[in-house]
Amino acid sequence: MDIVLEAQGKINLTLEVIAKRPDGYHELSTVMQSVTLADTLTLRPAAAAITLETDNPGLPTDSRNLIVRAAYALRERTGVWAGAHIHLHKRIPLAAGMAGGSADAAATLAGLNQLWDLHLSQPELAEIALTLGSDVPFCLRGGTVYAAGRGEILTPLPPLPAWPVLLVTPRFPVATAEVYRRLDLAGLTPAPAAAVRAVVSQGTIEALSPYMVNALETVTERDYPVIGALKARLRELGAAVSLMSGSGPTVFGLFARTEAAEAAYRDLQDSPSSVHLAFLAPAGIVFPAEPGSIKY
Ligand code: C5P
């Protein structure tokens, strides 16, 4: 039987960079938040091969794709040499700071764990996830999560309300590694992690918004002034707060009311960027067929 999953994207409600590490990665202090904008993966049992098909011609379907790498990593880890045919319907913009590829990889791990009857635990899946990318362990869990380390040391926070969020993605890709490479750590003064966690736990936009900063804006927004212009436009259109997500270029605006977000969505139809209206979500992966699972 086919397994269908929604792999939801993320935004960073805060993203602070603490230090560069000896392994080349950066030590982060970030609040990651799932959103309902999602890719759909359909997993079908197959004899031995792992094959991937997608409606997005910009994506590779071989082992350059994180979905295929996730499937191979599961086979390596378990020794189960099963096959699967995977179909990907892509909605999350590519190389846009929303962890689209990471979400697909996480959904592949969770879905194949079922399809192949592997019975790996969440911690075992999370360990494989980190070998695929820093954001993949978060995507496996999702919701509202404080993340430290490379982004894999996760402290779940109380879920935020399903606030509407407008996601505006300029149509150019940003290479995350390059943004981190050019980041000037000397100019940054991160807020104490305990304070960030405390304000998120209050669950109001008013408490949260003064803490909503993204250190990576100092690189990406300087390169692309359109990012600053989009943040200002979202505020003009009624967003309570606007910020770049991840290494960009996606800019998001949080709204207190859905009608205000819908009106802003209509106003942005003249924008050359891609615009999506979504909601904050309490999980990363949704199995739509599962009884009781939430489908937005
Ligand atoms: O882990 P992932 O492959 O998604 O990261 C992409 C790039 O972003 C890394 O190669 C690294 O240069 C940078 N990065 C970082 N510190 C992190 C996460 C990512 O420097 N915590």
Side-chain angles (χ1 to χ4, degrees):
M1 204 188 66
D2 290 1
I3 292 181
V4 181
L5 315 94
E6 303 288 325
Q8 304 194 112
K10 64 87 180 152
I11 54 176
N12 298 83
L13 295 175
T14 71
L15 197 170
E16 302 194 277
V17 181
I18 311 292
K20 181 150 188 208
R21 307 171 8 151
D23 64 5
Y25 287 93
H26 289 76
E27 196 69 18
L28 304 181
S29 172
T30 178
V31 177
M32 304 175 86
Q33 172 65 58
S34 302
V35 295
T36 54
L37 179 63
D39 296 339
T40 305
L41 279 84
T42 307
L43 313 179
R44 175 165 297 174
I50 307 289
T51 49
L52 173 65
E53 186 190 349
T54 174
D55 53 7
N56 186 318
L59 278 175
T61 53
D62 56 19
S63 61
R64 286 169 297 169
N65 194 301
L66 268 190
I67 291 177
V68 176
R69 294 232 286 276
Y72 285 148
L74 264 186
R75 296 211 297 199
E76 289 283 324
R77 168 71 171 66
T78 61
V80 172
W81 225 249
H85 179 68
I86 304 174
H87 182 272
L88 169 68
H89 175 42
K90 194 79 199 160
R91 295 187 199 87
I92 305 171
L94 307 183
M98 292 191 61
S102 301
D104 295 344
T108 303
L109 294 178
L112 291 181
N113 193 36
Q114 278 200 4
L115 191 78
W116 292 342
D117 255 336
L118 300 174
H119 301 287
L120 289 177
S121 66
Q122 282 301 310
E124 286 168 333
L125 289 177
E127 197 180 299
I128 302 170
L130 185 61
T131 68
L132 299 165
S134 307
D135 290 342
V136 186
F138 164 77
C139 291
L140 209 47
R141 190 194 184 288
T144 308
V145 174
Y146 176 79
R150 272 172 63 189
E152 86 286 20
I153 303 172
L154 305 177
T155 308
L157 297 174
L160 287 169
W163 289 327
V165 57
L166 265 190
L167 304 158
V168 184
T169 309
R171 293 181 197 274
F172 51 81
V174 166
T176 303
E178 180 68 11
V179 172
Y180 277 105
R181 199 182 57 73
R182 290 178 41 224
L183 183 66
D184 177 13
L185 284 167
L188 305 173
T189 45
V196 173
R197 291 204 298 255
V199 292
V200 176
S201 302
Q202 288 183 36
T204 66
I205 295 184
E206 294 71 34
L208 191 57
S209 54
Y211 284 85
M212 289 184 57
V213 291
N214 181 347
L216 304 182
E217 284 182 342
T218 58
V219 178
T220 316
E221 189 178 328
R222 191 147 18 104
D223 284 353
Y224 301 106
V226 66
I227 289 170
L230 286 171
K231 286 196 300 182
R233 178 115 197 255
L234 280 165
R235 292 299 304 272
E236 277 163 31
L237 292 174
V241 60
S242 59
L243 194 71
M244 187 178 88
S245 182
S247 52
T250 297
V251 171
F252 67 89
L254 287 183
F255 289 76
R257 290 182 320 111
T258 304
E259 304 76 55
E262 283 170 349
Y265 176 77
R266 285 192 295 274
D267 278 336
L268 282 165
Q269 291 310 304
D270 64 352
S271 161
S273 300
S274 94
V275 184
H276 293 93
L277 175 57
F279 296 87
L280 304 194
I285 301 165
V286 181
F287 287 75
E290 218 174 62
S293 75
I294 305 158
K295 178 81 183 79
Y296 295 86

PDB file of all heavy atoms in Angstrom, residues 20-21 24-28 102 130 132-136 149-151 176-178 180-181, ligand 1:
ATOM      1  N   LYS A  20      31.875  30.022  15.603  1.00  0.00           N
ATOM      2  CA  LYS A  20      32.278  29.035  14.603  1.00  0.00           C
ATOM      3  C   LYS A  20      32.929  27.869  15.332  1.00  0.00           C
ATOM      4  O   LYS A  20      33.689  28.063  16.276  1.00  0.00           O
ATOM      5  CB  LYS A  20      33.255  29.664  13.607  1.00  0.00           C
ATOM      6  CG  LYS A  20      33.677  28.712  12.544  1.00  0.00           C
ATOM      7  CD  LYS A  20      34.013  29.352  11.231  1.00  0.00           C
ATOM      8  CE  LYS A  20      34.207  28.223  10.233  1.00  0.00           C
ATOM      9  NZ  LYS A  20      35.098  28.518   9.177  1.00  0.00           N
ATOM     10  N   ARG A  21      32.624  26.638  14.903  1.00  0.00           N
ATOM     11  CA  ARG A  21      33.123  25.466  15.611  1.00  0.00           C
ATOM     12  C   ARG A  21      34.334  24.891  14.883  1.00  0.00           C
ATOM     13  O   ARG A  21      34.515  25.129  13.697  1.00  0.00           O
ATOM     14  CB  ARG A  21      32.024  24.389  15.665  1.00  0.00           C
ATOM     15  CG  ARG A  21      30.731  24.920  16.229  1.00  0.00           C
ATOM     16  CD  ARG A  21      29.527  24.043  16.146  1.00  0.00           C
ATOM     17  NE  ARG A  21      29.659  22.671  15.712  1.00  0.00           N
ATOM     18  CZ  ARG A  21      28.849  21.702  16.114  1.00  0.00           C
ATOM     19  NH1 ARG A  21      27.864  21.974  16.971  1.00  0.00           N
ATOM     20  NH2 ARG A  21      28.980  20.484  15.657  1.00  0.00           N
ATOM     21  N   GLY A  24      33.820  23.281  11.488  1.00  0.00           N
ATOM     22  CA  GLY A  24      33.430  24.098  10.332  1.00  0.00           C
ATOM     23  C   GLY A  24      31.987  24.584  10.397  1.00  0.00           C
ATOM     24  O   GLY A  24      31.625  25.554   9.742  1.00  0.00           O
ATOM     25  N   TYR A  25      31.150  23.906  11.190  1.00  0.00           N
ATOM     26  CA  TYR A  25      29.762  24.361  11.372  1.00  0.00           C
ATOM     27  C   TYR A  25      29.725  25.509  12.372  1.00  0.00           C
ATOM     28  O   TYR A  25      30.729  25.804  13.027  1.00  0.00           O
ATOM     29  CB  TYR A  25      28.888  23.210  11.881  1.00  0.00           C
ATOM     30  CG  TYR A  25      28.595  22.170  10.824  1.00  0.00           C
ATOM     31  CD1 TYR A  25      29.409  21.044  10.696  1.00  0.00           C
ATOM     32  CD2 TYR A  25      27.523  22.318   9.961  1.00  0.00           C
ATOM     33  CE1 TYR A  25      29.157  20.091   9.723  1.00  0.00           C
ATOM     34  CE2 TYR A  25      27.263  21.370   8.988  1.00  0.00           C
ATOM     35  CZ  TYR A  25      28.080  20.260   8.873  1.00  0.00           C
ATOM     36  OH  TYR A  25      27.831  19.322   7.920  1.00  0.00           O
ATOM     37  N   HIS A  26      28.564  26.114  12.519  1.00  0.00           N
ATOM     38  CA  HIS A  26      28.386  27.191  13.489  1.00  0.00           C
ATOM     39  C   HIS A  26      27.460  26.751  14.611  1.00  0.00           C
ATOM     40  O   HIS A  26      26.503  26.006  14.381  1.00  0.00           O
ATOM     41  CB  HIS A  26      27.828  28.444  12.798  1.00  0.00           C
ATOM     42  CG  HIS A  26      28.834  29.100  11.907  1.00  0.00           C
ATOM     43  ND1 HIS A  26      29.166  28.594  10.673  1.00  0.00           N
ATOM     44  CD2 HIS A  26      29.602  30.207  12.086  1.00  0.00           C
ATOM     45  CE1 HIS A  26      30.095  29.356  10.119  1.00  0.00           C
ATOM     46  NE2 HIS A  26      30.372  30.350  10.958  1.00  0.00           N
ATOM     47  N   GLU A  27      27.783  27.231  15.813  1.00  0.00           N
ATOM     48  CA  GLU A  27      26.967  26.962  16.991  1.00  0.00           C
ATOM     49  C   GLU A  27      25.785  27.922  16.949  1.00  0.00           C
ATOM     50  O   GLU A  27      25.973  29.140  16.852  1.00  0.00           O
ATOM     51  CB  GLU A  27      27.847  27.218  18.229  1.00  0.00           C
ATOM     52  CG  GLU A  27      27.344  26.657  19.504  1.00  0.00           C
ATOM     53  CD  GLU A  27      27.385  25.136  19.566  1.00  0.00           C
ATOM     54  OE1 GLU A  27      28.093  24.488  18.777  1.00  0.00           O
ATOM     55  OE2 GLU A  27      26.656  24.605  20.413  1.00  0.00           O
ATOM     56  N   LEU A  28      24.571  27.376  16.987  1.00  0.00           N
ATOM     57  CA  LEU A  28      23.367  28.199  16.817  1.00  0.00           C
ATOM     58  C   LEU A  28      22.554  28.282  18.106  1.00  0.00           C
ATOM     59  O   LEU A  28      22.658  27.433  18.990  1.00  0.00           O
ATOM     60  CB  LEU A  28      22.472  27.608  15.725  1.00  0.00           C
ATOM     61  CG  LEU A  28      23.078  27.400  14.343  1.00  0.00           C
ATOM     62  CD1 LEU A  28      22.027  26.831  13.392  1.00  0.00           C
ATOM     63  CD2 LEU A  28      23.648  28.694  13.791  1.00  0.00           C
ATOM     64  N   SER A 102      15.378  19.362   3.460  1.00  0.00           N
ATOM     65  CA  SER A 102      15.504  18.677   4.755  1.00  0.00           C
ATOM     66  C   SER A 102      14.175  18.052   5.164  1.00  0.00           C
ATOM     67  O   SER A 102      14.127  16.944   5.716  1.00  0.00           O
ATOM     68  CB  SER A 102      15.942  19.659   5.844  1.00  0.00           C
ATOM     69  OG  SER A 102      17.176  20.247   5.502  1.00  0.00           O
ATOM     70  N   LEU A 130      20.705  13.533  11.121  1.00  0.00           N
ATOM     71  CA  LEU A 130      21.785  14.518  11.233  1.00  0.00           C
ATOM     72  C   LEU A 130      22.897  14.265  10.216  1.00  0.00           C
ATOM     73  O   LEU A 130      23.577  15.191   9.797  1.00  0.00           O
ATOM     74  CB  LEU A 130      22.352  14.544  12.668  1.00  0.00           C
ATOM     75  CG  LEU A 130      23.413  15.618  12.924  1.00  0.00           C
ATOM     76  CD1 LEU A 130      22.857  17.027  12.698  1.00  0.00           C
ATOM     77  CD2 LEU A 130      23.975  15.502  14.342  1.00  0.00           C
ATOM     78  N   LEU A 132      22.372  13.667   7.269  1.00  0.00           N
ATOM     79  CA  LEU A 132      21.865  14.200   5.990  1.00  0.00           C
ATOM     80  C   LEU A 132      21.867  15.728   5.970  1.00  0.00           C
ATOM     81  O   LEU A 132      21.900  16.339   4.899  1.00  0.00           O
ATOM     82  CB  LEU A 132      20.446  13.677   5.738  1.00  0.00           C
ATOM     83  CG  LEU A 132      20.348  12.150   5.623  1.00  0.00           C
ATOM     84  CD1 LEU A 132      18.906  11.687   5.753  1.00  0.00           C
ATOM     85  CD2 LEU A 132      20.942  11.680   4.290  1.00  0.00           C
ATOM     86  N   GLY A 133      21.815  16.363   7.145  1.00  0.00           N
ATOM     87  CA  GLY A 133      21.835  17.831   7.191  1.00  0.00           C
ATOM     88  C   GLY A 133      21.426  18.330   8.565  1.00  0.00           C
ATOM     89  O   GLY A 133      20.706  17.642   9.294  1.00  0.00           O
ATOM     90  N   SER A 134      21.857  19.550   8.892  1.00  0.00           N
ATOM     91  CA  SER A 134      21.652  20.092  10.242  1.00  0.00           C
ATOM     92  C   SER A 134      20.174  20.287  10.576  1.00  0.00           C
ATOM     93  O   SER A 134      19.795  20.238  11.746  1.00  0.00           O
ATOM     94  CB  SER A 134      22.364  21.437  10.381  1.00  0.00           C
ATOM     95  OG  SER A 134      23.710  21.328  10.019  1.00  0.00           O
ATOM     96  N   ASP A 135      19.323  20.560   9.573  1.00  0.00           N
ATOM     97  CA  ASP A 135      17.907  20.846   9.831  1.00  0.00           C
ATOM     98  C   ASP A 135      17.032  19.584   9.819  1.00  0.00           C
ATOM     99  O   ASP A 135      15.845  19.651  10.153  1.00  0.00           O
ATOM    100  CB  ASP A 135      17.334  21.778   8.749  1.00  0.00           C
ATOM    101  CG  ASP A 135      17.883  23.183   8.856  1.00  0.00           C
ATOM    102  OD1 ASP A 135      18.421  23.531   9.924  1.00  0.00           O
ATOM    103  OD2 ASP A 135      17.764  23.933   7.866  1.00  0.00           O
ATOM    104  N   VAL A 136      17.594  18.443   9.406  1.00  0.00           N
ATOM    105  CA  VAL A 136      16.759  17.250   9.209  1.00  0.00           C
ATOM    106  C   VAL A 136      16.210  16.706  10.539  1.00  0.00           C
ATOM    107  O   VAL A 136      15.028  16.344  10.613  1.00  0.00           O
ATOM    108  CB  VAL A 136      17.494  16.170   8.373  1.00  0.00           C
ATOM    109  CG1 VAL A 136      16.567  15.002   8.058  1.00  0.00           C
ATOM    110  CG2 VAL A 136      18.022  16.774   7.071  1.00  0.00           C
ATOM    111  N   GLY A 149      23.445  23.778  19.283  1.00  0.00           N
ATOM    112  CA  GLY A 149      24.434  22.973  18.566  1.00  0.00           C
ATOM    113  C   GLY A 149      24.428  23.372  17.103  1.00  0.00           C
ATOM    114  O   GLY A 149      24.282  24.550  16.765  1.00  0.00           O
ATOM    115  N   ARG A 150      24.536  22.383  16.206  1.00  0.00           N
ATOM    116  CA  ARG A 150      24.411  22.661  14.759  1.00  0.00           C
ATOM    117  C   ARG A 150      22.971  22.964  14.376  1.00  0.00           C
ATOM    118  O   ARG A 150      22.685  23.316  13.233  1.00  0.00           O
ATOM    119  CB  ARG A 150      24.825  21.419  13.965  1.00  0.00           C
ATOM    120  CG  ARG A 150      26.291  21.311  13.655  1.00  0.00           C
ATOM    121  CD  ARG A 150      26.570  19.945  13.043  1.00  0.00           C
ATOM    122  NE  ARG A 150      25.869  19.785  11.760  1.00  0.00           N
ATOM    123  CZ  ARG A 150      25.807  18.625  11.099  1.00  0.00           C
ATOM    124  NH1 ARG A 150      26.391  17.544  11.590  1.00  0.00           N
ATOM    125  NH2 ARG A 150      25.153  18.558   9.940  1.00  0.00           N
ATOM    126  N   GLY A 151      22.056  22.720  15.342  1.00  0.00           N
ATOM    127  CA  GLY A 151      20.630  22.816  15.062  1.00  0.00           C
ATOM    128  C   GLY A 151      19.939  21.518  15.424  1.00  0.00           C
ATOM    129  O   GLY A 151      18.741  21.360  15.235  1.00  0.00           O
ATOM    130  N   THR A 176      23.464  28.370   1.431  1.00  0.00           N
ATOM    131  CA  THR A 176      23.631  28.509   2.884  1.00  0.00           C
ATOM    132  C   THR A 176      25.103  28.528   3.303  1.00  0.00           C
ATOM    133  O   THR A 176      25.512  29.366   4.126  1.00  0.00           O
ATOM    134  CB  THR A 176      22.910  27.338   3.587  1.00  0.00           C
ATOM    135  OG1 THR A 176      21.543  27.367   3.176  1.00  0.00           O
ATOM    136  CG2 THR A 176      22.986  27.443   5.091  1.00  0.00           C
ATOM    137  N   ALA A 177      25.911  27.611   2.765  1.00  0.00           N
ATOM    138  CA  ALA A 177      27.319  27.515   3.181  1.00  0.00           C
ATOM    139  C   ALA A 177      28.037  28.839   2.946  1.00  0.00           C
ATOM    140  O   ALA A 177      28.846  29.282   3.760  1.00  0.00           O
ATOM    141  CB  ALA A 177      28.006  26.382   2.432  1.00  0.00           C
ATOM    142  N   GLU A 178      27.728  29.478   1.830  1.00  0.00           N
ATOM    143  CA  GLU A 178      28.359  30.751   1.454  1.00  0.00           C
ATOM    144  C   GLU A 178      27.971  31.866   2.443  1.00  0.00           C
ATOM    145  O   GLU A 178      28.801  32.685   2.838  1.00  0.00           O
ATOM    146  CB  GLU A 178      27.877  31.073   0.025  1.00  0.00           C
ATOM    147  CG  GLU A 178      28.379  32.344  -0.586  1.00  0.00           C
ATOM    148  CD  GLU A 178      29.868  32.320  -0.878  1.00  0.00           C
ATOM    149  OE1 GLU A 178      30.477  31.242  -0.792  1.00  0.00           O
ATOM    150  OE2 GLU A 178      30.404  33.410  -1.160  1.00  0.00           O
ATOM    151  N   TYR A 180      27.083  31.481   5.649  1.00  0.00           N
ATOM    152  CA  TYR A 180      27.815  31.250   6.905  1.00  0.00           C
ATOM    153  C   TYR A 180      29.293  31.621   6.747  1.00  0.00           C
ATOM    154  O   TYR A 180      29.903  32.179   7.658  1.00  0.00           O
ATOM    155  CB  TYR A 180      27.690  29.788   7.351  1.00  0.00           C
ATOM    156  CG  TYR A 180      26.416  29.504   8.120  1.00  0.00           C
ATOM    157  CD1 TYR A 180      25.361  28.816   7.541  1.00  0.00           C
ATOM    158  CD2 TYR A 180      26.273  29.916   9.447  1.00  0.00           C
ATOM    159  CE1 TYR A 180      24.196  28.538   8.248  1.00  0.00           C
ATOM    160  CE2 TYR A 180      25.112  29.645  10.165  1.00  0.00           C
ATOM    161  CZ  TYR A 180      24.082  28.963   9.562  1.00  0.00           C
ATOM    162  OH  TYR A 180      22.944  28.704  10.272  1.00  0.00           O
ATOM    163  N   ARG A 181      29.869  31.318   5.593  1.00  0.00           N
ATOM    164  CA  ARG A 181      31.294  31.599   5.380  1.00  0.00           C
ATOM    165  C   ARG A 181      31.571  33.100   5.488  1.00  0.00           C
ATOM    166  O   ARG A 181      32.599  33.520   5.996  1.00  0.00           O
ATOM    167  CB  ARG A 181      31.712  31.072   3.995  1.00  0.00           C
ATOM    168  CG  ARG A 181      33.204  30.877   3.814  1.00  0.00           C
ATOM    169  CD  ARG A 181      33.563  30.411   2.408  1.00  0.00           C
ATOM    170  NE  ARG A 181      33.104  31.308   1.350  1.00  0.00           N
ATOM    171  CZ  ARG A 181      33.630  32.483   1.069  1.00  0.00           C
ATOM    172  NH1 ARG A 181      34.646  32.930   1.767  1.00  0.00           N
ATOM    173  NH2 ARG A 181      33.130  33.231   0.084  1.00  0.00           N
TER     174      ARG A 181
HETATM  175  O1  C5P B   1      24.002  20.846   7.529  1.00  0.00           O
HETATM  176  P1  C5P B   1      23.760  21.392   6.165  1.00  0.00           P
HETATM  177  O2  C5P B   1      24.440  20.566   5.098  1.00  0.00           O
HETATM  178  O3  C5P B   1      22.331  21.640   5.856  1.00  0.00           O
HETATM  179  O4  C5P B   1      24.430  22.828   6.146  1.00  0.00           O
HETATM  180  C1  C5P B   1      24.756  23.519   4.961  1.00  0.00           C
HETATM  181  C2  C5P B   1      25.950  24.417   5.232  1.00  0.00           C
HETATM  182  O5  C5P B   1      25.595  25.473   6.141  1.00  0.00           O
HETATM  183  C3  C5P B   1      27.096  23.694   5.937  1.00  0.00           C
HETATM  184  O6  C5P B   1      27.972  23.117   5.001  1.00  0.00           O
HETATM  185  C4  C5P B   1      27.762  24.804   6.707  1.00  0.00           C
HETATM  186  O7  C5P B   1      28.645  25.512   5.866  1.00  0.00           O
HETATM  187  C5  C5P B   1      26.626  25.734   7.062  1.00  0.00           C
HETATM  188  N1  C5P B   1      26.139  25.521   8.417  1.00  0.00           N
HETATM  189  C6  C5P B   1      26.890  25.991   9.477  1.00  0.00           C
HETATM  190  N2  C5P B   1      26.448  25.808  10.759  1.00  0.00           N
HETATM  191  C7  C5P B   1      25.262  25.195  11.000  1.00  0.00           C
HETATM  192  C8  C5P B   1      24.476  24.710   9.927  1.00  0.00           C
HETATM  193  C9  C5P B   1      24.940  24.895   8.654  1.00  0.00           C
HETATM  194  O8  C5P B   1      27.977  26.567   9.295  1.00  0.00           O
HETATM  195  N3  C5P B   1      24.859  25.060  12.264  1.00  0.00           N
END
